């Protein structure tokens, strides 16, 4: 009985995976947040390179020289024709070709409800109304002085992930009747 064995080495490549770098037009290699707008474009917030828009082929970049409050972007949120850009100096709103700036503590994340746009900052919770008013929300001294990492509304309660723990509230202001530290 004669038996032959052959060893054949094969390799596979994933042609779907593509890394984009500074060489491709990305303004900075550290991307902290990304959001897709209603048109399908990707918006990327970088740490030092500003804001990048990717249409599937190339990047378009906005930075402090174009009117952004800061090139250090921590969070993004898109609604209709507006892009909210949270940075280490507050936030900017990009509407078509205009940029509007609002100074505030570092913005860590956005949470939109039918009442307002809530901003999780390094120094408590802020709200931004449709009339263009930015307001610090006073809740409890421990929460107001905390870094709020993110806000989530589950339909009944607001959940605040902070550097002082996890909190559950029925409202995001001093009149909250249910405040629980988890």
């Amino acid at each position: 009985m004669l038996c032959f064995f052959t060893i054949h080495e094969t390799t596979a490549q994933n042609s779907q995976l593509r890394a984009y770098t500074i060489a491709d037009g990305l303004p900075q290699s550290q991307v902290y947040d990304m959001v897709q707008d209603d048109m399908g474009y990707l918006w990327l917030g970088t740490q030092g390179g500003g804001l990048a828009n990717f249409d599937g082929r190339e990047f378009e970049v906005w930075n402090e020289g174009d009117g952004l409050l800061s090139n250090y972007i921590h969070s993004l949120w898109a609604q209709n024709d507006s892009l909210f850009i949270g940075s280490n100096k507050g936030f900017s709103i990009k509407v078509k070709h205009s940029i509007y700036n609002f100074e505030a503590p570092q913005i860590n994340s956005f949470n939109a409800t039918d009442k307002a746009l809530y901003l999780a900052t390094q120094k408590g919770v802020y709200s931004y109304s449709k009339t263009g008013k930015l307001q610090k929300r006073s809740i409890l001294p421990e929460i107001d002085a905390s870094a709020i990492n993110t806000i989530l509304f589950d339909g009944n309660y607001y959940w605040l992930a902070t550097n002082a723990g996890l909190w559950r509230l029925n409202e995001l202001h001093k009149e909250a009747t249910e405040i629980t530290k988890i």
Side-chain angles (χ1 to χ4, degrees):
M1 172 184 252
L2 192 54
C3 185
F4 291 98
F5 292 99
T6 63
I7 298 174
H8 180 70
E9 184 177 326
T10 60
T11 59
Q13 289 184 338
N14 183 349
S15 62
Q16 300 294 324
L17 187 59
R18 165 87 161 85
Y20 291 92
T21 67
I22 294 170
D24 299 303
L26 188 63
Q28 214 275 340
S29 62
Q30 293 178 344
V31 176
Y32 268 39
D33 202 6
M34 179 173 53
V35 69
Q36 187 172 21
D37 67 16
D38 292 341
M39 300 290 292
Y41 297 118
L42 293 179
W43 294 90
L44 301 102
T46 70
Q47 284 300 288
L51 176 70
N53 172 260
F54 186 63
D55 65 3
R57 288 188 211 104
E58 61 187 12
F59 292 94
E60 187 174 358
V61 178
W62 288 267
N63 57 36
E64 290 174 4
D66 300 305
L68 284 182
L69 196 57
S70 174
N71 289 335
Y72 292 85
I73 298 171
H74 297 273
S75 58
L76 297 169
W77 183 66
Q79 180 184 30
N80 302 326
D81 64 348
S82 299
L83 180 68
F84 291 77
I85 306 153
S87 74
N88 63 330
K89 295 182 180 177
F91 73 103
S92 302
I93 304 173
K94 184 178 182 321
V95 182
K96 298 182 183 184
H97 300 290
S98 298
I99 296 175
Y100 306 95
N101 293 313
F102 297 85
E103 290 187 16
Q106 176 180 305
I107 309 298
N108 296 324
S109 70
F110 295 102
N111 182 277
T113 68
D114 56 349
K115 295 181 181 182
L117 176 64
Y118 292 106
L119 292 75
T121 79
Q122 284 298 102
K123 295 183 180 173
V125 176
Y126 283 70
S127 64
Y128 178 77
S129 68
K130 294 176 184 175
T131 61
K133 184 178 178 185
L134 180 65
Q135 181 180 4
K136 168 91 168 157
R137 306 306 294 188
S138 180
I139 303 168
L140 282 176
E142 188 176 359
I143 295 173
D144 298 343
S146 295
I148 312 296
N149 298 312
T150 192
I151 301 170
L152 174 75
F153 182 66
D154 67 8
N156 295 312
Y157 294 101
Y158 293 92
W159 295 83
L160 304 180
T162 77
N163 65 340
L166 179 65
W167 297 82
R168 185 182 73 187
L169 304 88
N170 65 330
E171 292 291 337
L172 281 182
H173 50 76
K174 206 174 213 59
E175 289 79 33
T177 57
E178 294 181 44
I179 301 176
T180 307
K181 186 173 184 181
I182 308 295

